[in-house]
Amino acid sequence: IFRPSVLMPADADTWPPHRVRVVLLHELAHVKRRDCLTHLVAQIVCAAYWFNPLAWMAARHLRTERERACDDLVLAAGTRGSDYADLLLDIARVMRAGRFPAVMAGASLAMAQRSQLEGRLMAILDPSVPRRGLTRARAAAAATVFALVIVPVASVQPWAEEAAMVNSAVSDMTAAPPAQPA
């Protein structure tokens, strides 16, 4: 978290320069986005709410979106989608063949899962997917819309109305004289 590092396989120095560039772009995108911190928070939430399947589902979706965001940064840097997809397939083949170092395989196991890899490849090869990141203006607009929606919702206090009705009923019962039998 405080001093991130990128681990590469021992044979990375034999890779073609284009492959090294793409792999480093992707991994440095994780560093830039501070994904290690979001991963830590997700793991803490999963540990605290281990019994809740929604926590595990949210953590899985967070991992998926984290990878896709880094893929978008690689593609936005000028890498062709087809070249990047080929590279991911090569890495998945190496991981499935068991020729990947155990330390790296544990960290990258989710990448080689068929469903996630397929989704990533489809997103990489889809030219209609916007690759731009969130600008400050868009973030400010989203925060403003969120505040405009949440403030009125937060000001609604249905329990205050219920408490007023209970207090009124109690005061009516204490103020009225007891009924006389007829």
Short mmCIF file of all heavy atoms in Angstrom, two decimals, residues 105-160:
data_model
loop_
_atom_site.label_atom_id
_atom_site.label_comp_id
_atom_site.label_asym_id
_atom_site.label_seq_id
_atom_site.Cartn_x
_atom_site.Cartn_y
_atom_site.Cartn_z
N ALA A 105 1.20 -16.90 -9.80
CA ALA A 105 -0.06 -17.56 -10.14
C ALA A 105 -1.11 -17.28 -9.07
O ALA A 105 -2.27 -17.07 -9.39
CB ALA A 105 0.15 -19.05 -10.30
N GLY A 106 -0.71 -17.26 -7.82
CA GLY A 106 -1.67 -16.96 -6.75
C GLY A 106 -2.22 -15.56 -6.87
O GLY A 106 -3.41 -15.33 -6.66
N ALA A 107 -1.39 -14.62 -7.26
CA ALA A 107 -1.83 -13.24 -7.39
C ALA A 107 -2.68 -13.03 -8.64
O ALA A 107 -3.50 -12.13 -8.68
CB ALA A 107 -0.61 -12.31 -7.43
N SER A 108 -2.49 -13.86 -9.65
CA SER A 108 -3.17 -13.65 -10.92
C SER A 108 -4.16 -14.74 -11.28
O SER A 108 -4.60 -14.83 -12.41
CB SER A 108 -2.13 -13.55 -12.04
OG SER A 108 -1.20 -12.55 -11.75
N LEU A 109 -4.52 -15.57 -10.33
CA LEU A 109 -5.38 -16.71 -10.61
C LEU A 109 -6.71 -16.29 -11.22
O LEU A 109 -7.20 -16.93 -12.14
CB LEU A 109 -5.61 -17.51 -9.34
CG LEU A 109 -6.42 -18.79 -9.49
CD1 LEU A 109 -5.70 -19.74 -10.42
CD2 LEU A 109 -6.62 -19.42 -8.14
N ALA A 110 -7.28 -15.20 -10.73
CA ALA A 110 -8.59 -14.78 -11.23
C ALA A 110 -8.54 -14.41 -12.70
O ALA A 110 -9.52 -14.57 -13.41
CB ALA A 110 -9.09 -13.59 -10.41
N MET A 111 -7.39 -13.94 -13.17
CA MET A 111 -7.28 -13.55 -14.57
C MET A 111 -7.47 -14.74 -15.49
O MET A 111 -7.99 -14.61 -16.58
CB MET A 111 -5.91 -12.91 -14.81
CG MET A 111 -5.76 -12.19 -16.12
SD MET A 111 -5.75 -13.18 -17.59
CE MET A 111 -4.08 -13.64 -17.74
N ALA A 112 -7.08 -15.91 -15.06
CA ALA A 112 -7.12 -17.09 -15.92
C ALA A 112 -8.47 -17.81 -15.87
O ALA A 112 -8.67 -18.75 -16.61
CB ALA A 112 -6.00 -18.04 -15.54
N GLN A 113 -9.38 -17.38 -15.02
CA GLN A 113 -10.68 -18.02 -14.98
C GLN A 113 -11.42 -17.73 -16.28
O GLN A 113 -11.43 -16.60 -16.76
CB GLN A 113 -11.49 -17.53 -13.78
CG GLN A 113 -10.94 -18.01 -12.46
CD GLN A 113 -11.69 -17.44 -11.29
OE1 GLN A 113 -12.55 -16.60 -11.43
NE2 GLN A 113 -11.37 -17.92 -10.10
N ARG A 114 -12.03 -18.75 -16.83
CA ARG A 114 -12.62 -18.64 -18.16
C ARG A 114 -13.65 -17.51 -18.26
O ARG A 114 -13.61 -16.72 -19.19
CB ARG A 114 -13.26 -19.97 -18.54
CG ARG A 114 -13.94 -19.92 -19.89
CD ARG A 114 -14.38 -21.27 -20.31
NE ARG A 114 -13.18 -22.03 -20.63
CZ ARG A 114 -13.19 -23.28 -21.04
NH1 ARG A 114 -14.33 -23.91 -21.16
NH2 ARG A 114 -12.09 -23.90 -21.32
N SER A 115 -14.56 -17.41 -17.30
CA SER A 115 -15.62 -16.41 -17.40
C SER A 115 -15.06 -14.99 -17.36
O SER A 115 -15.49 -14.12 -18.11
CB SER A 115 -16.64 -16.60 -16.29
OG SER A 115 -16.03 -16.44 -15.03
N GLN A 116 -14.10 -14.76 -16.47
CA GLN A 116 -13.54 -13.41 -16.37
C GLN A 116 -12.69 -13.09 -17.60
O GLN A 116 -12.76 -11.99 -18.14
CB GLN A 116 -12.70 -13.25 -15.11
CG GLN A 116 -12.20 -11.82 -14.98
CD GLN A 116 -11.39 -11.59 -13.73
OE1 GLN A 116 -11.11 -12.50 -12.98
NE2 GLN A 116 -11.00 -10.36 -13.52
N LEU A 117 -11.90 -14.04 -18.05
CA LEU A 117 -11.07 -13.81 -19.23
C LEU A 117 -11.93 -13.54 -20.45
O LEU A 117 -11.64 -12.63 -21.23
CB LEU A 117 -10.15 -15.01 -19.47
CG LEU A 117 -9.20 -14.89 -20.65
CD1 LEU A 117 -8.26 -13.70 -20.47
CD2 LEU A 117 -8.41 -16.16 -20.83
N GLU A 118 -13.00 -14.30 -20.58
CA GLU A 118 -13.90 -14.10 -21.72
C GLU A 118 -14.52 -12.70 -21.68
O GLU A 118 -14.57 -12.01 -22.70
CB GLU A 118 -14.99 -15.15 -21.72
CG GLU A 118 -15.94 -15.05 -22.88
CD GLU A 118 -17.03 -16.10 -22.83
OE1 GLU A 118 -16.95 -17.03 -22.01
OE2 GLU A 118 -17.97 -15.99 -23.63
N GLY A 119 -14.97 -12.27 -20.52
CA GLY A 119 -15.55 -10.94 -20.39
C GLY A 119 -14.54 -9.85 -20.70
O GLY A 119 -14.87 -8.86 -21.36
N ARG A 120 -13.33 -10.03 -20.22
CA ARG A 120 -12.28 -9.04 -20.49
C ARG A 120 -11.97 -8.97 -21.97
O ARG A 120 -11.84 -7.88 -22.54
CB ARG A 120 -11.01 -9.37 -19.71
CG ARG A 120 -11.09 -9.03 -18.25
CD ARG A 120 -9.83 -9.40 -17.52
NE ARG A 120 -8.70 -8.58 -17.92
CZ ARG A 120 -7.45 -8.78 -17.52
NH1 ARG A 120 -7.18 -9.79 -16.72
NH2 ARG A 120 -6.49 -8.00 -17.91
N LEU A 121 -11.86 -10.13 -22.61
CA LEU A 121 -11.55 -10.15 -24.04
C LEU A 121 -12.66 -9.50 -24.86
O LEU A 121 -12.38 -8.74 -25.80
CB LEU A 121 -11.30 -11.58 -24.51
CG LEU A 121 -10.03 -12.24 -23.99
CD1 LEU A 121 -9.96 -13.69 -24.44
CD2 LEU A 121 -8.80 -11.47 -24.43
N MET A 122 -13.90 -9.77 -24.50
CA MET A 122 -15.02 -9.16 -25.22
C MET A 122 -15.02 -7.64 -25.05
O MET A 122 -15.26 -6.91 -26.00
CB MET A 122 -16.34 -9.76 -24.76
CG MET A 122 -16.36 -11.25 -25.02
SD MET A 122 -17.81 -12.05 -25.61
CE MET A 122 -18.96 -10.93 -26.10
N ALA A 123 -14.71 -7.18 -23.84
CA ALA A 123 -14.65 -5.73 -23.61
C ALA A 123 -13.47 -5.10 -24.34
O ALA A 123 -13.59 -4.00 -24.87
CB ALA A 123 -14.55 -5.45 -22.12
N ILE A 124 -12.35 -5.80 -24.38
CA ILE A 124 -11.16 -5.27 -25.07
C ILE A 124 -11.41 -5.16 -26.57
O ILE A 124 -11.01 -4.18 -27.21
CB ILE A 124 -9.93 -6.18 -24.78
CG1 ILE A 124 -9.48 -5.99 -23.34
CG2 ILE A 124 -8.79 -5.89 -25.74
CD1 ILE A 124 -8.49 -7.04 -22.87
N LEU A 125 -12.07 -6.15 -27.13
CA LEU A 125 -12.27 -6.19 -28.58
C LEU A 125 -13.49 -5.39 -29.03
O LEU A 125 -13.69 -5.22 -30.24
CB LEU A 125 -12.39 -7.64 -29.05
CG LEU A 125 -11.12 -8.47 -28.87
CD1 LEU A 125 -11.38 -9.92 -29.20
CD2 LEU A 125 -9.98 -7.91 -29.71
N ASP A 126 -14.30 -4.89 -28.11
CA ASP A 126 -15.50 -4.13 -28.45
C ASP A 126 -15.11 -2.66 -28.66
O ASP A 126 -14.79 -1.96 -27.70
CB ASP A 126 -16.54 -4.25 -27.35
CG ASP A 126 -17.86 -3.61 -27.71
OD1 ASP A 126 -17.99 -3.03 -28.81
OD2 ASP A 126 -18.79 -3.70 -26.88
N PRO A 127 -15.18 -2.17 -29.90
CA PRO A 127 -14.78 -0.77 -30.15
C PRO A 127 -15.77 0.26 -29.62
O PRO A 127 -15.45 1.43 -29.49
CB PRO A 127 -14.68 -0.69 -31.67
CG PRO A 127 -15.55 -1.78 -32.18
CD PRO A 127 -15.56 -2.85 -31.13
N SER A 128 -16.99 -0.18 -29.27
CA SER A 128 -17.98 0.78 -28.78
C SER A 128 -17.82 1.10 -27.30
O SER A 128 -18.48 2.01 -26.80
CB SER A 128 -19.39 0.24 -29.04
OG SER A 128 -19.63 -0.91 -28.26
N VAL A 129 -16.96 0.37 -26.59
CA VAL A 129 -16.76 0.61 -25.16
C VAL A 129 -15.92 1.88 -24.99
O VAL A 129 -14.83 1.99 -25.56
CB VAL A 129 -16.05 -0.59 -24.49
CG1 VAL A 129 -15.69 -0.27 -23.05
CG2 VAL A 129 -16.91 -1.82 -24.56
N PRO A 130 -16.44 2.86 -24.25
CA PRO A 130 -15.65 4.08 -24.04
C PRO A 130 -14.44 3.80 -23.16
O PRO A 130 -14.54 3.09 -22.16
CB PRO A 130 -16.62 5.05 -23.35
CG PRO A 130 -17.69 4.20 -22.79
CD PRO A 130 -17.73 2.93 -23.59
N ARG A 131 -13.30 4.32 -23.52
CA ARG A 131 -12.05 4.05 -22.80
C ARG A 131 -11.61 5.22 -21.94
O ARG A 131 -10.61 5.15 -21.25
CB ARG A 131 -10.92 3.74 -23.79
CG ARG A 131 -11.23 2.63 -24.75
CD ARG A 131 -11.17 1.30 -24.07
NE ARG A 131 -11.57 0.25 -25.02
CZ ARG A 131 -12.02 -0.90 -24.66
NH1 ARG A 131 -12.13 -1.21 -23.40
NH2 ARG A 131 -12.38 -1.78 -25.56
N ARG A 132 -12.36 6.29 -21.98
CA ARG A 132 -11.98 7.47 -21.19
C ARG A 132 -12.21 7.21 -19.72
O ARG A 132 -13.16 6.55 -19.33
CB ARG A 132 -12.81 8.69 -21.60
CG ARG A 132 -12.59 9.15 -23.00
CD ARG A 132 -13.36 10.44 -23.25
NE ARG A 132 -14.73 10.36 -22.77
CZ ARG A 132 -15.77 10.13 -23.54
NH1 ARG A 132 -15.63 9.93 -24.82
NH2 ARG A 132 -16.98 10.12 -23.04
N GLY A 133 -11.34 7.78 -18.92
CA GLY A 133 -11.50 7.69 -17.48
C GLY A 133 -12.47 8.75 -16.99
O GLY A 133 -13.00 9.55 -17.75
N LEU A 134 -12.68 8.76 -15.72
CA LEU A 134 -13.57 9.73 -15.09
C LEU A 134 -12.82 11.04 -14.92
O LEU A 134 -11.80 11.10 -14.25
CB LEU A 134 -14.03 9.19 -13.73
CG LEU A 134 -15.09 9.99 -13.00
CD1 LEU A 134 -16.38 10.03 -13.81
CD2 LEU A 134 -15.35 9.39 -11.65
N THR A 135 -13.33 12.09 -15.56
CA THR A 135 -12.69 13.41 -15.44
C THR A 135 -13.16 14.08 -14.16
O THR A 135 -14.15 13.66 -13.54
CB THR A 135 -13.06 14.30 -16.64
OG1 THR A 135 -14.48 14.52 -16.64
CG2 THR A 135 -12.62 13.66 -17.96
N ARG A 136 -12.46 15.11 -13.77
CA ARG A 136 -12.86 15.85 -12.56
C ARG A 136 -14.25 16.46 -12.71
O ARG A 136 -15.03 16.49 -11.76
CB ARG A 136 -11.84 16.94 -12.25
CG ARG A 136 -10.52 16.41 -11.74
CD ARG A 136 -9.59 17.57 -11.41
NE ARG A 136 -8.24 17.10 -11.21
CZ ARG A 136 -7.68 16.96 -10.03
NH1 ARG A 136 -8.34 17.28 -8.95
NH2 ARG A 136 -6.45 16.53 -9.93
N ALA A 137 -14.55 16.94 -13.92
CA ALA A 137 -15.86 17.55 -14.15
C ALA A 137 -16.97 16.51 -14.00
O ALA A 137 -18.01 16.78 -13.38
CB ALA A 137 -15.90 18.18 -15.54
N ARG A 138 -16.75 15.32 -14.55
CA ARG A 138 -17.77 14.27 -14.41
C ARG A 138 -17.90 13.82 -12.97
O ARG A 138 -18.99 13.53 -12.49
CB ARG A 138 -17.41 13.08 -15.29
CG ARG A 138 -17.67 13.33 -16.75
CD ARG A 138 -17.42 12.09 -17.55
NE ARG A 138 -17.69 12.35 -18.94
CZ ARG A 138 -17.63 11.43 -19.86
NH1 ARG A 138 -17.31 10.20 -19.55
NH2 ARG A 138 -17.89 11.75 -21.11
N ALA A 139 -16.79 13.73 -12.27
CA ALA A 139 -16.85 13.33 -10.86
C ALA A 139 -17.60 14.38 -10.05
O ALA A 139 -18.42 14.05 -9.18
CB ALA A 139 -15.44 13.13 -10.31
N ALA A 140 -17.35 15.65 -10.32
CA ALA A 140 -18.05 16.73 -9.61
C ALA A 140 -19.54 16.70 -9.94
O ALA A 140 -20.38 16.90 -9.05
CB ALA A 140 -17.44 18.07 -9.97
N ALA A 141 -19.87 16.46 -11.21
CA ALA A 141 -21.28 16.40 -11.60
C ALA A 141 -21.97 15.22 -10.91
O ALA A 141 -23.10 15.36 -10.42
CB ALA A 141 -21.40 16.28 -13.11
N ALA A 142 -21.31 14.08 -10.85
CA ALA A 142 -21.89 12.91 -10.19
C ALA A 142 -22.09 13.17 -8.70
O ALA A 142 -23.11 12.80 -8.13
CB ALA A 142 -21.01 11.68 -10.41
N ALA A 143 -21.11 13.80 -8.06
CA ALA A 143 -21.22 14.11 -6.64
C ALA A 143 -22.37 15.09 -6.38
O ALA A 143 -23.11 14.96 -5.41
CB ALA A 143 -19.91 14.68 -6.11
N THR A 144 -22.53 16.06 -7.27
CA THR A 144 -23.61 17.04 -7.14
C THR A 144 -24.97 16.37 -7.27
O THR A 144 -25.88 16.60 -6.46
CB THR A 144 -23.46 18.15 -8.19
OG1 THR A 144 -22.18 18.78 -8.02
CG2 THR A 144 -24.55 19.19 -8.07
N VAL A 145 -25.12 15.53 -8.28
CA VAL A 145 -26.39 14.82 -8.47
C VAL A 145 -26.67 13.92 -7.27
O VAL A 145 -27.80 13.87 -6.77
CB VAL A 145 -26.36 14.00 -9.79
CG1 VAL A 145 -27.52 13.03 -9.86
CG2 VAL A 145 -26.37 14.94 -10.98
N PHE A 146 -25.65 13.23 -6.79
CA PHE A 146 -25.82 12.37 -5.62
C PHE A 146 -26.28 13.19 -4.41
O PHE A 146 -27.20 12.79 -3.70
CB PHE A 146 -24.50 11.65 -5.31
CG PHE A 146 -24.58 10.74 -4.13
CD1 PHE A 146 -25.25 9.53 -4.21
CD2 PHE A 146 -24.00 11.10 -2.92
CE1 PHE A 146 -25.33 8.68 -3.12
CE2 PHE A 146 -24.07 10.26 -1.83
CZ PHE A 146 -24.74 9.05 -1.93
N ALA A 147 -25.65 14.34 -4.19
CA ALA A 147 -26.03 15.18 -3.06
C ALA A 147 -27.45 15.71 -3.21
O ALA A 147 -28.21 15.76 -2.24
CB ALA A 147 -25.05 16.34 -2.92
N LEU A 148 -27.83 16.08 -4.44
CA LEU A 148 -29.18 16.59 -4.67
C LEU A 148 -30.23 15.51 -4.45
O LEU A 148 -31.37 15.82 -4.09
CB LEU A 148 -29.29 17.16 -6.09
CG LEU A 148 -28.53 18.46 -6.34
CD1 LEU A 148 -28.60 18.84 -7.81
CD2 LEU A 148 -29.07 19.58 -5.47
N VAL A 149 -29.87 14.28 -4.64
CA VAL A 149 -30.82 13.19 -4.43
C VAL A 149 -30.83 12.75 -2.97
O VAL A 149 -31.87 12.54 -2.38
CB VAL A 149 -30.48 11.99 -5.35
CG1 VAL A 149 -31.27 10.76 -4.96
CG2 VAL A 149 -30.74 12.37 -6.79
N ILE A 150 -29.65 12.63 -2.36
CA ILE A 150 -29.56 12.04 -1.03
C ILE A 150 -30.00 13.00 0.08
O ILE A 150 -30.56 12.56 1.09
CB ILE A 150 -28.13 11.49 -0.76
CG1 ILE A 150 -28.15 10.47 0.37
CG2 ILE A 150 -27.16 12.59 -0.43
CD1 ILE A 150 -28.86 9.22 0.06
N VAL A 151 -29.80 14.29 -0.08
CA VAL A 151 -30.18 15.24 0.97
C VAL A 151 -31.69 15.23 1.21
O VAL A 151 -32.12 15.11 2.36
CB VAL A 151 -29.63 16.66 0.68
CG1 VAL A 151 -30.25 17.70 1.59
CG2 VAL A 151 -28.12 16.67 0.79
N PRO A 152 -32.52 15.32 0.18
CA PRO A 152 -33.98 15.24 0.45
C PRO A 152 -34.39 13.89 1.02
O PRO A 152 -35.26 13.82 1.90
CB PRO A 152 -34.62 15.46 -0.92
CG PRO A 152 -33.58 16.15 -1.72
CD PRO A 152 -32.27 15.68 -1.21
N VAL A 153 -33.78 12.82 0.55
CA VAL A 153 -34.12 11.50 1.07
C VAL A 153 -33.72 11.40 2.54
O VAL A 153 -34.46 10.84 3.36
CB VAL A 153 -33.45 10.39 0.23
CG1 VAL A 153 -33.59 9.04 0.89
CG2 VAL A 153 -34.05 10.37 -1.16
N ALA A 154 -32.56 11.94 2.88
CA ALA A 154 -32.10 11.87 4.27
C ALA A 154 -32.95 12.74 5.20
O ALA A 154 -33.02 12.47 6.40
CB ALA A 154 -30.64 12.31 4.34
N SER A 155 -33.58 13.77 4.66
CA SER A 155 -34.37 14.65 5.52
C SER A 155 -35.73 14.06 5.86
O SER A 155 -36.41 14.53 6.77
CB SER A 155 -34.55 16.02 4.85
OG SER A 155 -35.35 15.89 3.69
N VAL A 156 -36.16 13.03 5.15
CA VAL A 156 -37.43 12.38 5.45
C VAL A 156 -37.26 11.58 6.74
O VAL A 156 -36.34 10.78 6.87
CB VAL A 156 -37.85 11.46 4.28
CG1 VAL A 156 -39.09 10.66 4.65
CG2 VAL A 156 -38.10 12.28 3.04
N GLN A 157 -38.15 11.82 7.68
CA GLN A 157 -38.07 11.15 8.97
C GLN A 157 -39.42 10.53 9.29
O GLN A 157 -40.22 11.10 10.04
CB GLN A 157 -37.67 12.13 10.06
CG GLN A 157 -36.30 12.73 9.85
CD GLN A 157 -35.95 13.72 10.95
OE1 GLN A 157 -36.72 13.95 11.86
NE2 GLN A 157 -34.78 14.29 10.84
N PRO A 158 -39.68 9.35 8.75
CA PRO A 158 -41.00 8.74 9.02
C PRO A 158 -41.20 8.42 10.49
O PRO A 158 -42.32 8.41 10.97
CB PRO A 158 -40.98 7.47 8.16
CG PRO A 158 -39.55 7.21 7.88
CD PRO A 158 -38.85 8.54 7.92
N TRP A 159 -40.13 8.18 11.21
CA TRP A 159 -40.26 7.87 12.64
C TRP A 159 -40.70 9.09 13.43
O TRP A 159 -41.32 8.96 14.46
CB TRP A 159 -38.95 7.32 13.19
CG TRP A 159 -37.82 8.28 13.05
CD1 TRP A 159 -37.45 9.26 13.90
CD2 TRP A 159 -36.91 8.37 11.96
NE1 TRP A 159 -36.38 9.97 13.43
CE2 TRP A 159 -36.01 9.43 12.23
CE3 TRP A 159 -36.75 7.67 10.76
CZ2 TRP A 159 -35.00 9.80 11.35
CZ3 TRP A 159 -35.74 8.04 9.91
CH2 TRP A 159 -34.88 9.09 10.21
N ALA A 160 -40.39 10.30 12.96
CA ALA A 160 -40.80 11.52 13.68
C ALA A 160 -42.32 11.66 13.64
O ALA A 160 -42.94 12.03 14.64
CB ALA A 160 -40.13 12.74 13.06
#
